[in-house]
Amino acid sequence: MMRDTHKKIVKCRVCETPLLHFFSLGGMPLVNSFLKYDDIMNEKRFDLDVGFCSQCYLVQLLENVPPEKLYRHYLYLSSVSSPFVEHCKKTATDLIRRLRLTSDSQVVEIASNDGVLLSCFKQAGIKALGIDPARNIARIANMNGLETLAEFFTHESALKLRSRGIIADLVYGANVLAHVPEIVDFVEGVKVILKPEGTAIFEFPYLAGLFENKFDIIYHEHVFYYSMLALRHLFDRVDLQIYDVEQFPLQGGSLRIYVGHKNVHPINRSVTDLIDEELAQHWNSIESYHKIRNSVESLKKDLLAALDNIKKEGKTIAAYSAPAKGNVLLNYFGIDSRYLDYIVDITPLKQGLYTPGTHLLIEDPEKINHSPPDYLLILCWNHADFVMKNLDAYHKNGGKFIIPIPQVTIL
Ligand SMILES: [Zn+2]
C-alpha cells in the first residue's frame, strides 16, 4: 500500500522529534461509540497508526481524535465491572495504609468515572474530589454524593483548583495518562496540584502488552503506550520523579507508578530494574517495534482459520462482551455477522445499540441461556477466568469458549 508515503510527518507530542511509523490498523471507527440503528449510515472511521520517538522512546498514535469527541458522552461505567470494583476496594485500602491518609487528607481523582474509587475513600472519611469530562457520568457520580467536576484535567484547571484551596496528598488517575494528547500540559497540572510531600499515582496499560499480541489496546483513546524509559523522560521535563512502580494483571498487563516532586521520595529499585529490563529488550530502538505487526498478523491467521472451521461444521458462534478492545479485534480481523450469530454485553447502556464498525446488535447475556451458541468468543479475554466461572452451566452443557489473545485457545 502507498498510503504511508503520503502521510505528513508527525512529531512527538513530548519532544517534537519526527515519529517513526511501525504499525497501521487502517481506518478504525471509534470503538467506544456504540451506535443507534439510525447512526450506522453516518459512522466515521479514522486512521489508526502507531509510531515511535527515537529521542524520548515514547510510542504514540500518529493522529489522534479530539478528546471533546471521545469523552464528553461516555458509556462505560466502572461500577458495572465486578473485577474492577474489587480492584478499587483493594487499591483504596492499600493506599490509605501506605500513604498514611487520614481524615485531614485530600484525594483528587482524575478520570473518576462514576466514582467507584472515590466512594471507597469517602467511606474511610477522606476528602475525595473527582474530575471527569463525561457530563453524563459525572452527573451520576454527583447524584450519588461523590463530588465530581465535569471537566478535562489540564494545567489551567489545576491552577483553578489550587486557587480554591484544593491541594492533594494523593492525585490518582487510572486509565487517563494514555488518553491525554496534551500530556506535557497534563503533568504540569499534576505538579501544580500536588502537595510538596504528596504522591501522584497512575495506572495504565504497559507497553509490554504490544509485544505479547495484546494489540487490542491500540485505539484512538489510547494516544500513548508507555515504557518506563519514556515516562522517566516525560516527568523529568516538569521536575517530577517516578519513585516506585508495580506491575499487575488488570487490562492484560498494567503498570502503577508512584510520582512525587523531585528528590522528595527515595527511589525504589523497582524503577531502575524495570528500566534496565526495557533496555535489555531494546525498547529504545525502532527495530524491536517492527516485530509487533508480524506477530499480530499471524494471530489473525490463526483465529480466522479456527472460526472458518467452526462455520464449515455448521456450528454457531456468539461473542461475549463488547469492550473497546473487543471492537478493535473484530474490526481489524474482519470478524462480523459472517462469523458471529450474536453478541452480548452485561452493560445495560450498551444493550440495544450496535457495535462500532461491525454493526452487531448488542443483547442481554441472558440470551446465552435460552439460545446457547456452540462457541463463545470471549472478547474481554483479560477477564476470561471470571467469565468462564460465571458461565459454568453453559460449559457443562457442551458449550465451548474461544479465548483469542494472546494465543487462540479453545476450551
Ligand atoms: Zn519524543
Side-chain angles (χ1 to χ4, degrees):
M1 293 287 283
M2 292 296 288
R3 51 183 291 165
D4 292 335
T5 55
H6 296 299
K7 283 205 179 300
K8 65 177 177 5
I9 293 171
V10 180
K11 290 179 177 171
C12 173
R13 291 174 180 80
V14 172
C15 76
E16 301 195 339
T17 304
L19 295 171
L20 305 170
H21 175 225
F22 66 85
F23 190 21
S24 174
L25 284 86
M28 180 72 72
L30 301 180
V31 288
N32 264 319
S33 290
F34 294 85
L35 306 162
K36 293 188 185 122
Y37 184 79
D38 291 341
D39 298 335
I40 289 177
M41 288 299 284
N42 298 320
E43 187 180 37
K44 288 195 175 62
R45 286 175 182 265
F46 302 85
D47 284 346
L48 191 55
D49 299 299
V50 198
F52 169 73
C53 174
S54 61
Q55 282 305 304
C56 74
Y57 313 137
L58 184 50
V59 173
Q60 55 198 286
L61 295 187
L62 295 195
E63 285 134 6
N64 63 273
V65 174
E68 279 287 338
K69 229 182 161 73
L70 293 172
Y71 305 118
R72 279 305 191 184
H73 188 85
Y74 211 60
L75 288 183
Y76 178 79
L77 286 181
S78 298
S79 58
V80 167
S81 159
S82 317
F84 185 77
V85 171
E86 285 309 308
H87 174 74
C88 284
K89 284 185 189 155
K90 189 177 177 319
T91 300
T93 312
D94 291 351
L95 293 180
I96 290 169
R97 195 181 310 131
R98 173 167 175 166
L99 302 174
R100 298 197 184 94
L101 301 177
T102 67
S103 54
D104 294 328
S105 305
Q106 172 74 56
V107 173
V108 173
E109 187 184 3
I110 305 171
S112 48
N113 199 276
D114 59 350
V116 176
L117 186 68
L118 289 177
S119 77
C120 299
F121 284 117
K122 205 180 161 193
Q123 274 161 27
I126 295 165
K127 290 186 289 269
L129 172 71
I131 303 178
D132 197 293
R135 294 189 182 107
N136 60 323
I137 287 176
R139 196 178 308 127
I140 294 172
N142 282 313
M143 270 169 9
N144 292 330
L146 304 162
E147 190 190 351
T148 302
L149 307 173
E151 279 179 29
F152 286 98
F153 182 81
T154 60
H155 187 203
E156 199 190 328
S157 67
L159 288 169
K160 264 194 247 162
L161 284 175
R162 190 149 176 159
S163 71
R164 267 178 59 187
I166 291 173
I167 177 160
D169 296 270
L170 168 62
V171 173
Y172 183 91
N175 297 313
V176 63
L177 209 58
H179 294 59
V180 181
E182 304 285 338
I183 194 64
V184 177
D185 178 80
F186 179 93
V187 292
E188 277 169 347
V190 172
K191 188 181 164 68
V192 163
I193 205 172
L194 192 63
K195 274 190 189 162
E197 312 276 325
T199 292
I201 294 180
F202 297 101
E203 293 179 11
F204 46 87
Y206 187 30
L207 175 68
L210 293 190
F211 294 95
E212 297 160 0
N213 272 346
K214 298 166 183 172
F215 75 98
D216 55 353
I217 57 171
I218 301 175
Y219 49 92
H220 297 99
E221 292 175 26
H222 294 155
V223 182
F224 300 108
Y225 305 83
Y226 288 108
S227 61
M228 286 295 284
L229 284 165
L231 286 165
R232 178 173 61 175
H233 177 267
L234 170 66
F235 286 106
D236 193 52
R237 280 182 83 96
V238 298
D239 286 332
L240 291 174
Q241 198 170 32
I242 304 171
Y243 70 86
D244 200 1
V245 58
E246 293 161 358
Q247 296 193 54
F248 58 99
L250 204 76
Q251 303 281 356
S254 294
L255 288 188
R256 174 192 285 170
I257 54 169
Y258 295 73
V259 178
H261 290 283
K262 217 168 210 174
N263 303 325
V264 172
H265 305 271
I267 311 290
N268 194 302
R269 258 197 69 179
S270 58
V271 174
T272 39
D273 284 354
L274 196 51
I275 288 175
D276 288 345
E277 223 173 274
E278 292 178 356
L279 287 169
Q281 306 280 336
H282 306 289
W283 288 4
N284 54 347
S285 154
I286 181 68
E287 275 71 34
S288 306
Y289 295 88
H290 289 304
K291 292 180 215 150
I292 293 170
R293 200 194 63 175
N294 298 337
S295 180
V296 173
E297 285 308 312
S298 112
L299 180 74
K300 175 178 178 176
K301 250 171 67 196
D302 292 349
L303 182 58
L304 291 183
L307 299 184
D308 279 329
N309 281 334
I310 293 167
K311 293 313 270 189
K312 268 186 212 138
E313 291 169 9
K315 302 260 171 76
T316 54
I317 309 170
Y320 188 87
S321 92
K325 61 169 60 194
N327 290 322
V328 175
L329 184 140
L330 295 181
N331 279 287
Y332 185 54
F333 286 1
I335 299 170
D336 55 20
S337 59
R338 289 169 301 169
Y339 290 104
L340 298 177
D341 294 87
Y342 62 88
I343 185 166
V344 298
D345 193 286
I346 54 168
T347 313
L349 286 171
K350 289 183 186 173
Q351 293 164 11
L353 298 177
Y354 291 80
T355 54
T358 48
H359 307 153
L360 302 156
L361 176 65
I362 301 170
E363 301 183 66
D364 189 301
E366 188 54 32
K367 179 148 183 180
I368 296 169
N369 296 329
H370 41 83
S371 80
D374 296 304
Y375 289 82
L376 201 54
L377 175 64
I378 302 180
L379 293 175
C380 55
W381 52 266
N382 49 318
H383 298 314
D385 290 342
F386 181 79
V387 171
M388 291 190 293
K389 213 169 98 194
N390 279 346
L391 294 174
D392 195 40
Y394 160 79
H395 197 225
K396 283 206 172 108
N397 286 324
K400 289 194 159 50
F401 298 111
I402 307 170
I403 303 171
I405 287 179
Q407 282 98 33
V408 179
T409 309
I410 299 180
L411 296 166

